[in-house]
Amino acid sequence: MQLSSRWIRWFGRLSLVIAIVAALSTLLGMYPQEKSLDGYLFALGLMALVSGALIVAAQLKDKSDPLAEKVVPSSFVAYLLFIVMTIHWLSN
């Protein structure tokens, strides 16, 4: 199954917006109180980084760059790893 670069870019941008909104909400004190603020901001930074990788992967796919064949799947695996790490961190 091939995902179009439009969907990859949309998912990356949506994820980036979520990370930015969550980071800005920490100014209002809205973050998991039982967790450290540093850890929470680090997790949001990782989310923004992986989202940026998805956006770059979509750009490479638009250019039909052969590197996109490797970057797109690895970006999704990195995003999945981020989600699993975050769930583990929040559950402890």
Side-chain angles (χ1 to χ4, degrees):
M1 179 177 93
Q2 291 286 334
L3 287 174
S4 72
S5 61
R6 185 177 75 185
W7 287 106
I8 297 168
R9 185 176 296 110
W10 177 84
F11 182 70
R13 287 181 180 167
L14 176 68
S15 179
L16 188 60
V17 167
I18 291 170
I20 290 170
V21 168
L24 290 176
S25 71
T26 60
L27 297 175
L28 301 173
M30 297 182 342
Y31 65 93
Q33 296 296 326
E34 65 275 356
K35 301 297 178 187
S36 70
L37 180 61
D38 293 340
Y40 184 66
L41 291 176
F42 179 74
L44 292 177
L46 282 178
M47 184 176 180
L49 185 68
V50 172
S51 301
L54 286 170
I55 294 169
V56 169
Q59 291 173 347
L60 288 174
K61 193 168 175 99
D62 278 343
K63 294 178 185 177
S64 298
D65 193 327
L67 186 60
E69 294 177 18
K70 300 206 181 340
V71 173
V72 171
S74 64
S75 297
F76 279 113
V77 169
Y79 199 85
L80 179 65
L81 180 62
F82 161 75
I83 290 172
V84 170
M85 286 171 38
T86 304
I87 290 171
H88 176 72
W89 179 69
L90 289 173
S91 68
N92 287 330

